[in-house]
Amino acid sequence: MFKKFSPSSDVSGQTSLKSSVQRSIRSGLLSQWKIDPETLEQIWPKKEPLTLVKCRDHISIYTLHGEALFFQHFDEPFFPTLRLLHKYPFLLPMVRIDRGAIRFLLAGAHMMCPGMTSKGGYLPPADAALPAGTPVAIHAEGKEHAVGIGITKLGTEEMRTVNKGVGVETVTYIGDDFWAVQTL
Amino acid sequence: MADAESSQAGQSVQPVQLLYCGVCTFPVEYCEFGSHLTKCKEWLHETHPDLYDKYYSDEALQAKLGTLSLEAQEKLEKDTAKKEAKAEAKAEAAQKKKMASQVTIKRIERNKRKFVTAVHGLEAFDVDLKKAAKFFAQKFATGASVTKNPQGNDEIVVQGDVSGDIVDMIEEGVGLLKGVPKDNIVEVEEKKKKGGDGAA
């Protein structure tokens, strides 16, 4: 989604949000992320107004004092930005890819099932299986922090059985154009 | 006030502090996949020697091999080296281009004794045009704006003939204009052509 992104041409406008909209976003975040209200309060204090940055292709980025906090495509689920995810790694469920896949991920490729089912990879166990279309944090073998954020294209159980093709679609990763944008 | 804050912090989860590399902006553990590995290593060695040991000591390198076969690892290393060389060449070319690009200061006759000054090419030297325009406006107490010229490039147009002053300012490297080499300045004069051309 963010492999190519340049603020000068892709951003179409910035507006501050109505408080009612902010309230609905806040409740949306609380239901979608594994987060308690106090932590959310710390990330985004109630008194601080959120700014909506509209971009091409129905992408909305929400910023606080110019710093991007999370984004959304159309009205799909919210994704935290990678920097936010690094600070609060528990926001999203995690999958892990093996070492061989890291460099492909950092070149912007989608993540194939074998990279997650192999020995270095990790998928949530069967009792915590994720359905398709869930935002996930992509971690890497032998690394502490997330390397990217993606959205599952198959359910995690399905990935195990099919073990072929795209399992997680990469949304943003370390070193893409969105990563390079520190403030909007 | 302070009490309320601390009690709140007690409930919520503290953010993880993470060190980002000063060279490639990646989290330091991912430097090895970036394109400036040697520089990143140097930077980390200087600023955070303890972390350097954690990531680049022999044991760490051994442990990293993990499940990957030796050939695959070798290939990866080769790729990284290649990428690094490529990035370096690219950076050099960009630097060269930057050094070769010129700042044009154009004095345009608007109406016999009235002039405007157009400054073009500042953006190549990482100058924020909008801020620079504001700065000029303040400095010369005239209007200054960022406009698109017919070629579609952004330039700063300052009202009044201030070409000489701008040259001086760039040479001295005042404020925003730092880093613009003075050898690259070109002064041009443009007279209004006779006839209806000026209206177009």
Side-chain angles (χ1 to χ4, degrees):
Chain A
M1 199 190 275
F2 284 115
K3 193 173 179 187
K4 290 251 182 304
F5 181 76
S6 78
S8 58
S9 63
D10 290 338
V11 172
S12 55
Q14 294 199 11
T15 41
S16 45
L17 285 174
K18 278 196 292 191
S19 65
S20 60
V21 180
Q22 295 197 25
R23 218 177 310 130
S24 69
I25 291 174
R26 197 178 283 272
S27 65
L29 288 180
L30 285 173
S31 65
Q32 283 169 23
W33 293 355
K34 286 186 273 178
I35 191 172
D36 48 296
E38 285 79 23
T39 315
L40 184 60
E41 175 73 24
Q42 192 178 319
I43 299 173
W44 168 25
K46 210 165 235 159
K47 288 276 156 59
E48 309 284 354
L50 208 61
T51 310
L52 164 67
V53 181
K54 275 192 199 155
C55 309
R56 58 159 163 93
D57 300 340
H58 296 290
I59 296 173
S60 349
I61 304 173
Y62 298 91
T63 64
L64 187 67
H65 304 309
E67 197 179 324
L69 284 185
F70 43 90
F71 57 90
Q72 185 183 26
H73 175 242
F74 208 42
D75 48 8
E76 284 168 18
F78 293 101
F79 293 96
T81 58
L82 256 179
R83 283 192 176 82
L84 184 67
L85 186 70
H86 283 151
K87 284 185 191 150
Y88 302 93
F90 49 83
L91 292 179
L92 295 179
M94 157 191 144
V95 298
R96 194 169 62 219
I97 53 169
D98 59 24
R99 205 178 143 73
I102 299 178
R103 66 197 184 99
F104 296 108
L105 176 60
L106 291 183
H110 296 321
M111 289 296 96
M112 305 293 152
C113 295
M116 288 171 285
T117 51
S118 71
K119 199 178 141 213
Y122 167 87
L123 282 172
D127 53 350
L130 305 168
T134 319
V136 286
I138 306 175
H139 286 246
E141 180 189 359
K143 304 287 184 196
E144 219 177 309
H145 302 288
V147 60
I149 293 170
I151 183 161
T152 53
K153 275 288 122 183
L154 298 171
T156 49
E157 285 310 296
E158 219 176 320
M159 282 185 217
R160 262 189 255 264
T161 51
V162 177
N163 204 13
K164 214 175 178 188
V166 177
V168 173
E169 214 163 80
T170 310
V171 172
T172 177
Y173 54 93
I174 290 177
D176 64 0
D177 281 1
F178 187 47
W179 173 264
V181 178
Q182 309 249 5
T183 52
L184 275 169
Chain B
M1 183 68 193
D3 268 349
E5 257 176 32
S6 64
S7 72
Q8 208 170 51
Q11 286 169 16
S12 58
V13 185
Q14 286 302 309
V16 178
Q17 288 302 325
L18 172 61
L19 178 72
Y20 292 114
C21 174
V23 179
C24 60
T25 73
F26 286 16
V28 282
E29 55 178 359
Y30 287 107
C31 279
E32 54 171 326
F33 292 100
S35 47
H36 318 277
L37 180 56
T38 352
K39 273 190 201 151
C40 293
K41 268 183 170 171
E42 266 171 37
W43 177 83
L44 194 65
H45 197 59
E46 271 168 32
T47 50
H48 303 272
D50 47 327
L51 282 171
Y52 181 84
D53 286 344
K54 186 176 161 198
Y55 291 120
Y56 296 112
S57 65
D58 286 342
E59 304 106 73
L61 289 178
Q62 271 302 322
K64 246 178 14 190
L65 282 178
T67 57
L68 216 57
S69 69
L70 218 58
E71 297 107 72
Q73 180 67 23
E74 252 168 43
K75 188 164 175 282
L76 195 89
E77 263 161 33
K78 231 160 106 188
D79 272 1
T80 316
K82 217 162 98 185
K83 220 158 91 183
E84 203 168 319
K86 226 176 178 176
E88 224 156 80
K90 209 171 159 191
E92 211 165 278
Q95 180 71 16
K96 227 177 186 174
K97 201 175 164 201
K98 186 173 156 183
M99 281 305 136
S101 62
Q102 289 178 327
V103 176
T104 322
I105 297 172
K106 204 190 264 179
R107 193 172 81 143
I108 305 168
E109 192 179 302
R110 194 161 59 85
N111 198 353
K112 267 301 158 217
R113 283 181 56 233
K114 300 203 189 289
F115 298 94
V116 291
T117 313
V119 186
H120 175 70
L122 277 179
E123 70 275 9
F125 301 98
D126 302 322
V127 177
D128 189 337
L129 288 187
K130 243 181 173 168
K131 278 189 187 143
K134 182 99 189 165
F135 176 65
F136 285 141
Q138 215 156 44
K139 176 92 183 166
F140 303 122
T142 56
S145 64
V146 181
T147 36
K148 272 210 161 80
N149 67 2
Q151 283 90 47
N153 301 318
D154 281 336
E155 61 181 16
I156 301 176
V157 176
V158 189
Q159 289 176 13
D161 177 12
V162 289
S163 52
D165 301 82
I166 290 180
V167 173
D168 290 344
M169 275 163 69
I170 292 176
E171 275 174 8
E172 283 163 31
V174 196
L176 286 165
L177 303 174
K178 215 179 252 174
V180 182
K182 57 184 172 190
D183 303 331
N184 294 13
I185 309 170
V186 189
E187 265 187 278
V188 197
E189 196 159 332
E190 188 177 283
K191 284 232 170 76
K192 199 160 110 187
K193 282 175 202 141
K194 281 187 181 136
D197 207 79

